[in-house]
Amino acid sequence: MSRIKCPVMVLGITTDNFYPIWQQKEVADVLQKSGNGAVTFYEINSIYGHDTVLLDLSNFGVAIKGYLETSLEVCGNVSKSLKTEDKCGIWSEQLSAEFDNAY
């Protein structure tokens, strides 16, 4: 895990029995302790358990939106002309290609 230096969002759902909240907290803790200072942990309270990602879009979506907006503020936008690693360690040319293929 010490090789992971990019920003990471770990989402935990309090009622998820497949991936319990304590495991998600442990993943975030291990990443932080291994030197990644860009780890964000979100804990979502939902009655839907593991299916929260499908059924509780308002809570799930807000967490992702908040993370992405914060990440863009810190790291900046991905530029097609940038062909080196940006300040968050993301290979911009690769991300641009993936973006172009998706849209």
Side-chain angles (χ1 to χ4, degrees), residues 34-47:
S34 69
N36 189 335
V39 178
T40 303
F41 177 77
Y42 283 95
E43 182 172 309
I44 297 176
N45 292 315
S46 177
I47 62 171

Side-chain angles (χ1 to χ4, degrees), residues 11-16 21 41-47 49 52-53 56 58-64:
L11 266 168
I13 302 162
T14 55
T15 55
D16 190 336
I21 193 76
F41 177 77
Y42 283 95
E43 182 172 309
I44 297 176
N45 292 315
S46 177
I47 62 171
T52 295
V53 298
D56 194 357
S58 60
N59 279 330
F60 202 74
V62 167
I64 293 172

Side-chain angles (χ1 to χ4, degrees), residues 75-89:
C75 300
N77 292 316
V78 175
S79 169
K80 288 184 181 183
S81 62
L82 187 62
K83 297 193 188 251
T84 59
E85 288 187 29
D86 66 13
K87 59 187 166 188
C88 287

